[in-house]
Amino acid sequence: MLKSYMPVMGPALMAAAALFVAADAADATGQASAAMMNANGESVGSVTLRATPHGTLLHAKLENLPPGAHAFHIHAAGVCEPPFTSSGGHFNPDGKKHGFDSAEGMHAGDMPNIHVPDSGTLEIEVLNTLLKLDATLFDADGAAIVIHDGPDDYVSDPAGAAGPRIACGVITQ
């Protein structure tokens, strides 16, 4: 008689196995998206994310945004409840300081400001060389894309002094 033995996994081993499976799933798709909403629950566009050999390419099609410069970041939690503070701080898996101009920075979620014309409509592509569509991004609490009311100053830690959050979208596969 043949017997099959299934090893018993403790909680830590089960969690590690789940992360391994999640990493494989994220790497297999190589794509994600975020439906962007304002604080009134109205759509302000979408962002698609695509893995490349050099980082993640974000393609944003945005509308109905106030004209001017706005900070554009990846945030650490995939929760978008107005006023969008529920999305937490910037996505920062390596524990860096904030900002392009910081010698100790930058966060993986730091990206260039967007500049919305008077029409309120903008289509852009941004290559984020530090962002990977992997299990770190798609962990238990997920991640979100956030647009702030003002521009990022690229140095103030922890968030660039960009002001209130005006739009948010949970990143999904």
Side-chain angles (χ1 to χ4, degrees), residues 57-103:
L57 184 64
L58 292 89
H59 185 146
K61 292 182 179 180
L62 304 168
E63 60 188 8
N64 301 317
L65 289 175
H70 301 280
F72 182 61
H73 302 128
I74 306 293
H75 281 245
V79 183
C80 288
E81 297 169 355
F84 307 130
T85 54
S86 56
S87 65
H90 292 179
F91 181 66
N92 187 18
D94 298 324
K96 301 284 186 174
K97 296 286 184 185
H98 170 76
F100 295 150
D101 292 336
S102 171

Side-chain angles (χ1 to χ4, degrees), residues 68-147:
H70 301 280
F72 182 61
H73 302 128
I74 306 293
H75 281 245
V79 183
C80 288
E81 297 169 355
F84 307 130
T85 54
S86 56
S87 65
H90 292 179
F91 181 66
N92 187 18
D94 298 324
K96 301 284 186 174
K97 296 286 184 185
H98 170 76
F100 295 150
D101 292 336
S102 171
E104 299 166 313
M106 61 190 202
H107 301 148
D110 291 348
M111 296 188 292
N113 291 321
I114 60 173
H115 298 268
V116 179
D118 288 340
S119 68
T121 301
L122 177 70
E123 183 170 351
I124 58 161
E125 289 186 331
V126 174
L127 178 66
N128 184 324
T129 60
L130 300 177
L131 186 66
K132 295 179 184 168
L133 300 181
D134 63 11
T136 306
L137 187 70
F138 297 108
D139 63 1
D141 66 352
I145 297 174
V146 173
I147 299 172

Side-chain angles (χ1 to χ4, degrees), residues 137-161:
L137 187 70
F138 297 108
D139 63 1
D141 66 352
I145 297 174
V146 173
I147 299 172
H148 291 258
D149 187 46
D152 188 324
D153 67 10
Y154 298 140
V155 69
S156 297
D157 197 46

Side-chain angles (χ1 to χ4, degrees), residues 5 11 18 37 47-48 50 60 77 170:
Y5 291 98
M37 306 296 264
V47 179
T48 57
R50 182 174 58 85
V170 174

